[in-house]
Amino acid sequence: VSAQGASRAAPALAPESPLVLGHPSPRALAEQLLRTTWTTPRFFWPLIALSGSVSLLLILGAAYTITTGIGEWGNNMPVAWAFGITNFVFWIGIGHAGTFISAFLLLLKQGWRSSINRVVEAMTLFALINAGMFPVLHLGRPWFAYWLAPYPATMRVWPQFRSALPWDLVAVSTYFTISAVFLYVGMIPDLAKLRDHASSKWARRIYGIMAVGWRGNASQWSYLRIAYGLLAGLATPLVISVHSIVSMDFAIALLPGWHSTVFPPYFVAGALFSGFGMVATILILIRPWLGVGNVITTRHLNAVATMMLITAWMVSYGYFVEYVLAPSSTDPTERFVLLQARPFGQHAVAFWLVLACNFVIPQALWSKRVRISPLWLFVISITTNVGMWTERFMLIVTSLERDFLPSSWGRFVPSVVDIAMLVGTFGLFATLMMAFIRLFPFIPVHEVQKLAEREARTRRAAA
Amino acid sequence: MTDEDRPHQDVLDERGEIAAWSRRAFLRVMGASVALGGLAACERPKDKIVPYVRQPEDVIPGNASYYATAREHAGLGFGLLVESHEGRPTKVEGNPRHPASRGATDLHSQASVLSLYDPDRARAVTERGAPRPFRAFSEALVRACPPAHHGEGLFVVLEPTSSPLVEAAIGRLRAALPAATVAYVSSQAPHARWAAARAAFGRVVEPQLDASKAEVVASFGADLLAARADTVHVARALMERRRVRARTDTMSRLWVAETAMTVTGATCDERAALRPSEMVPALAALLGELARGGGAAAIPDALRARLAAIHGGPRGAWTAALARDLAAHCGAGAVVCGDDVPLAGHLLAHAANALLGSTGVSYTRSPILEAGEPSHDPQRLAEAIDRKAVAALVILGGNPVYAMPGDLAMARRVREVPLSAYLGEYADETARACTWHVAEQHWLESWGDVRAFDGSLSLVQPLVAPMHGGKSRVEVLGALLGDLAADPHALLRAAHRERAGAAGAVGAAAADDDAWEQALARGVLDPTSFAAEHVTLDWARVVAEAEKAAAPAPARAAGAYELAVVLDGKLDDGRHANNAWLQELPDPITKQTWGNALLVSPRTAKELGVATGDVVAVDRAGAGAGADAASGAGAGAGAAAAVLVPVLVAPGHADGAATIALGYGRTDGLGEAARVGVSAQSLRSSVAGPPSSFGLRRTGTRESLAITMAPRSSEDREIIKSLTLAEHQAPVSDARRHDDDDDEKKQKSRRSLYFLAPGGARQWAMSIDLTACTGCSVCVVACQAENNVPVVGKEGVLAGREMHWLRIDRYVEDAEGKPRVEMMPMLCQHCETAPCEYVCPTGATSHSADGLNQMVYPRCVGTRFCSNNCPYKVRRFNWFDYNRDTPALRALAHNPDVTVRARGVMEKCSYCVQRIREAERQARVEHRPLATGDVVTACQQACPTQAIQFGSLNDDASPVARLRDDVRAYSALGELGTKPRTTYLARLRNTSPDLDREGGDK
């Protein structure tokens, strides 16, 4: 589904407008793009102090939960999963757009990905750090989380492989590993550049170690390209598989509202939708802040917005299928959850918010003016992520609140710790992103140089 | 049990910590602590084990012993067998030989183990809070009432009792101090019942309902199936006549007229919601109908004609249908009247039974000492104090300062007495008002005896030495005479010897010892039940009362509401307020925990403009005329003040009335957590009178009520299958309702593509008969006691984290119209293809070869996926370390056979696997196969109506195997393919064909 979406997305991009503006020389590009690693950008310290203190909410919340008990969250019976798993699914989803852009679009030879792939790969990695925390923290006994992993225990006990949770562990840890390696391998030539231009001894040493002896000769470039292609080949199926497996945490259950075959594609589409929303948010913020409007152009914004529109329709199609089929269900519980509990129940606000954010508002993206307007796109990227977080909350919580026996129906009210930890994830994410931007070339210099060169060639040929 | 083999109390220090540390033990632990200091993070909980120095002969560590004893409830005995582990009682079961228990238990008996280990219990003897020796107490009393004065000014107040031992002690007191006054004061004394018996028959006799002989039982305001001393017996007998196996079987019909919905009303076939003031007119109307319909009783024709002239009544069609039904089963009907109904109601009920020649009701003398005598009148004490005629007041139990109606102003009056002493388990309101407080023994610590409702005498033997130096009533009564050596054990033994002598079985000392040991082991002395008495009814009085009752009542004034103040099914009159198991037990009907509320019908709530949780002010002032009629002389200031209480909208409640339970709003002698709810004492009156009306005003504030399940319907899901007896008997019914009837189809439906592990020799299963289940919730507490289920407190319940492994689901159908309440015990269904098992990532929940869905606590990491995937939501999660702060003393109540769960693990019903394994071990030791009935689960054992059956499907003799093939058998949510091992028998209602034809009485 996503592959089709991507290929359909391609013609929407105007091939005429250049991806690198102002015909900069390769040297000028390198200087511009590596500048953040030498000089601290404006407002950097106040911003990272702010995000760091927000991320303290997460850290303190986690510490409190681990020492006192998971009862500090609002979870109860029947709502045994709530904010924790919502956050997990949400952040995993965010990561997907990063991999989609850097791997999927690499294989599809989409040139525009070059200038943004590094920052979105970092986004993937940091979203995964946020996500990976929650399945552990939400355990009753987090210190035994490793029991979900198939390790050679002396007691010869294995995880119970019929459960989707060990699959999850494998999927997410694979995803994390591949994403980290992919990010690193793609960064090697730029790390070498940093090593070569470093003014301090320590920076030279550290970047030098990370550059693993890159000299930029032809055979190294050839190996790099092969390795990068292979990693992209490995990462591409993960875009589909990881969120499909995450969706099985729900789909394999009996619970009405979870027990649904539409979940895997629907979750993948939702993940890309929210991921592209996050990409848009980040791009729109860093363009003016770091002055990279010449390499991250409105054409990029247009491409990302188009992807948002496409994935919004895929997600909406999922809703549509679910609600068209619901009345014909023979299960009264399923009918109740979908047709009564969600739209009119105690969390009805969530349902209508989801429809508004994920279906109605993205329709504005049909307009090119909106797509290339940083302000409007920013607003929509925020509503997208509000909508997608709320969608996961709605799926998880309303189904649990209204299951088979009305005797066990309940209500979920988030605790202070729940809210603090949710807010804290954004703080941690922002902190890690800013730290990355400050320490590493967040735009792949070598790729953008190549892109600029190619565009210059094309221009010359046209002239 | 003898004194020698009781655990020595010195092991426990003041705070209940285990104190006896030997030097070696100390050094060992010190050494280990130093060695493990670096590994503090991985520290295991330290267990302090105190081994026997000399092992008692009959105690094998790890093997439980059982002792027969009895518990007093409202003065009547309830025979029990108590499980004891190395000298500490851990679980209470019914004594099958005892007529009141018949092997089952009631709520309070089940929960009383927890009270025994309650750290809040009072200790030893105190005078104004300062510890004093018991001798000083005795001397103070003897000084205040010297023998020379013959007890002038001495008032001894005790709760009504049937104990011959106490009777003898009172006899000795009266002999020595003839001028002393003995008063029986209780919040629950059935004054109206006794007075009515005296009016009807000329003497106090107790009507005894034998529901097993009745085809039609009609209850007017009597909550037969809950909270009475003979509830278990009545419930069992009733269900004996309502057990339907073959399709041709019949069942008795239960009619209930009541104000608030009770378990009796939920169980009954035809129910009418009446205001308290309508009870007597309804009974008069019933009597009129019966008189017109003829009847067997010898009633003078003139009087019969006068009765026959009575028409109407508050629910005409309902009463008429009931009368026709009773007449149709002439001789096999029974009419019973609740203790809260005024005298006339009881009188009319007696008359109805006489008119019908009911065999279901017989009369015996009352087992309660001096029942109906003036010594039971609480006003006498109040008057004596006001006359300054009381020099010394000795209150033996019952917490009357809290439990007596507000107009008696007990707190003020008790303080006016120069010397007041209280024997009570807690430093409660009464202890606060008294100068002296003597800690009372828990019944598991004391020697005594008690009679059951039918007069059967039981011995009460202690399971453990008094932990806090408690005294019994007999000891305190002895101390009043300066006799500090009064030993209940010796007295009891002497009385027993005397009884045996009277029976002609005099023998040598050895024979006497044997007889004593046997009596103790049996728990109930056989030929002691009272014979039925022959009574003749005063018809003239009956007719006069009936005519008076039938006179049209003045219409209810707008804004005036009747108020029923009832005993709480859980806390009784507040004496169990510090019992967390009872506090956390959801009320069978309202499902409220940790508190009480003002129950009103949905229509009345609409009228008042309030919803559940809205606080209203209840006072007499707002009700206009007659408001202060009953508050009587000397009404305390409290009686006038409004009571602020949250409303709980209760479907099935009578309109224009409200109900509030006693027992809440306690202030002294209990833990912080138990100080919940509102005291309704100021709304009660100690003077019998017409139901007074009250004003209800909205206050605009709200309070959250810890309700585990709102009055919800089953949303037309076939969760509880319910059908009428007529539908069940019609051949079409089971074809329609039970389409998986024939064996072949059943076999097919059990086939699966999924690989199922081959089963072992035994396949455990449970069957629950929804017709027999009354929802009384004894099983819930029994399960809690057996399985060390923690309590989570009001906050925990509000957060939706109650831990009960077994809960009673209560659905209210047609809440706004003619509410029907359906009960369904819900526990782990032990599904053969359990949805919880395949989603557990660590395999912590798995299936055993004998068909149990097991929890492996050490392997559980707490993902809670199993709970999400459990369609029955019976899994419970340890959100916190609920047992961390359990005091050492309280922890002694734990069942040593069951793991106490740690933080972060899931738990749920195990089908009492510890009992299964114990029975298997026992069988193996005895080289025999496991027999049918060897394994009894805690819920099954406690169930008063035997609604729960447990056994192996492979055992043809097991009732479970048979019940699974019953036409009424079904699986809850069976359509999900979970193949539950717990099956239910569809609920049957024997509705009245008369009312069915009329489309029901609204």
Side-chain angles (χ1 to χ4, degrees), chain A residues 65-81 138-145 147-148 151 157-166 248-250 252-255 258 331-334 336-337 340 400 402-411, chain B residues 708-709 712-717 719 754 798-802 807 809-811 824 826 835 837-844 857-865 867-873 875-881 884 902-906 972-973 975-976 978:
Chain A
T65 306
I66 291 171
T67 50
T68 315
I70 196 72
E72 296 300 340
W73 296 9
N75 299 38
N76 58 25
M77 291 295 160
V79 191
W81 288 359
H138 106 292
L139 292 180
R141 305 199 290 172
W143 46 93
F144 291 131
W147 287 357
L148 268 69
Y151 69 99
V157 282
W158 292 98
Q160 202 278 107
F161 289 111
R162 288 181 300 168
S163 169
L165 300 184
M248 283 172 201
D249 292 352
F250 310 100
I252 68 160
L254 282 179
L255 195 73
W258 287 15
D331 181 356
T333 320
E334 185 172 3
F336 185 87
V337 167
Q340 272 171 276
L400 287 168
R402 292 286 178 268
D403 77 334
F404 297 98
L405 298 183
S407 63
S408 43
W409 288 359
R411 180 185 180 86
Chain B
T708 59
M709 181 193 176
R712 229 177 254 133
S713 79
S714 60
E715 300 285 332
D716 291 327
R717 301 177 189 178
I719 298 162
Y754 210 68
L798 281 171
R801 292 169 179 173
E802 59 276 9
R807 63 172 197 262
D809 285 352
R810 178 272 286 117
Y811 297 98
M824 183 184 213
M826 185 48 73
E837 290 173 11
Y838 76 84
V839 298
C840 175
T842 57
Y857 303 123
R859 181 69 178 157
C860 178
V861 296
T863 66
R864 307 187 292 284
F865 202 170
S867 167
N868 290 346
N869 210 27
C870 173
Y872 311 97
K873 287 288 176 285
R875 292 180 153 260
R876 302 299 188 191
F877 189 69
N878 287 277
W879 300 98
F880 294 109
D881 195 351
R884 192 186 58 190
R903 175 192 139 190
V905 302
M906 195 58 82
L973 302 176
E975 68 274 13
L976 297 177
T978 50

Side-chain angles (χ1 to χ4, degrees), chain B residues 773-793:
Chain B
C773 176
T774 66
C776 70
S777 307
V778 178
C779 49
V780 179
V781 181
C783 173
Q784 186 152 30
E786 172 75 16
N787 292 304
N788 301 335
V789 174
V791 289
V792 296

Side-chain angles (χ1 to χ4, degrees), chain B residues 935-955:
Chain B
V935 182
V936 179
T937 63
C939 52
Q940 174 190 15
Q941 190 161 17
C943 180
T945 61
Q946 297 184 308
I948 302 174
Q949 294 293 335
F950 183 77
S952 169
L953 291 181
N954 291 350
D955 176 3

Side-chain angles (χ1 to χ4, degrees), chain B residues 156-178 180-184 369-370 375-376 396 473-474 476-478 480-481 491:
Chain B
V156 178
V157 174
L158 64 166
E159 288 191 279
T161 179
S162 59
S163 162
L165 194 66
V166 173
E167 186 180 20
I170 288 171
R172 283 193 296 278
L173 179 81
R174 280 180 172 149
L177 304 172
T181 313
V182 175
Y184 299 94
L369 304 179
E370 302 168 42
S375 55
H376 281 268
L396 304 180
R473 285 173 298 188
V474 174
V476 172
L477 284 169
L480 297 184
L481 303 176
L491 290 168

Side-chain angles (χ1 to χ4, degrees), chain B residues 374-640:
Chain B
S375 55
H376 281 268
D377 182 2
Q379 299 292 348
R380 273 203 334 166
L381 174 64
E383 282 159 20
I385 294 175
D386 291 347
R387 276 189 285 115
K388 307 272 178 223
V390 183
L393 175 65
V394 180
I395 301 170
L396 304 180
N399 192 10
V401 167
Y402 167 81
M404 293 308 286
D407 63 345
L408 280 175
M410 287 295 282
R412 177 177 58 77
R413 288 198 166 102
V414 168
R415 284 202 173 87
E416 281 171 16
V417 178
L419 189 151
S420 50
Y422 175 54
L423 173 73
E425 281 187 51
Y426 293 90
D428 52 24
E429 292 83 350
T430 308
R432 233 177 124 82
C434 289
T435 44
W436 284 85
H437 179 209
V438 181
E440 190 180 13
Q441 292 171 353
H442 189 270
W443 64 272
L444 284 166
E445 298 172 334
S446 50
W447 285 102
D449 53 6
V450 66
R451 286 189 187 278
F453 67 93
D454 67 346
S456 306
L457 185 61
S458 294
L459 297 175
V460 178
Q461 64 170 325
L463 268 285
V464 60
M467 290 183 213
H468 310 307
K471 298 288 175 195
S472 67
R473 285 173 298 188
V474 174
E475 284 164 293
V476 172
L477 284 169
L480 297 184
L481 303 176
D483 173 16
L484 287 174
D487 176 8
H489 179 207
L491 290 168
L492 195 63
R493 187 108 198 237
H496 186 257
R497 197 176 300 127
E498 211 170 285
R499 259 194 304 276
V506 199
D512 178 58
D513 279 347
D514 282 353
W516 171 246
E517 293 292 336
Q518 267 173 30
L520 277 182
R522 291 173 58 81
V524 52
L525 307 181
D526 254 344
T528 45
S529 63
F530 295 156
E533 307 249 322
H534 182 73
V535 291
T536 45
L537 191 68
D538 180 356
W539 280 106
R541 177 80 195 267
V542 167
V543 172
E545 287 286 352
E547 284 175 339
K548 200 162 78 192
R556 185 168 75 88
Y561 296 88
E562 282 179 38
L563 185 69
V565 184
V566 298
L567 287 175
D568 188 57
K570 300 184 284 173
L571 306 191
D572 207 10
D573 59 356
R575 67 187 65 212
H576 303 295
N578 210 33
N579 191 307
W581 289 348
L582 291 173
Q583 285 275 16
E584 192 148 309
L585 178 72
D587 178 276
I589 300 295
T590 65
K591 295 288 163 196
Q592 189 183 6
T593 65
W594 297 98
N596 61 347
L598 189 75
L599 310 185
V600 294
S601 71
R603 201 170 306 151
T604 306
K606 231 171 260 165
E607 202 174 294
L608 289 165
V610 292
T612 296
D614 283 337
V615 176
V616 294
V618 188
D619 55 15
R620 289 159 193 270
D628 282 318
S631 51

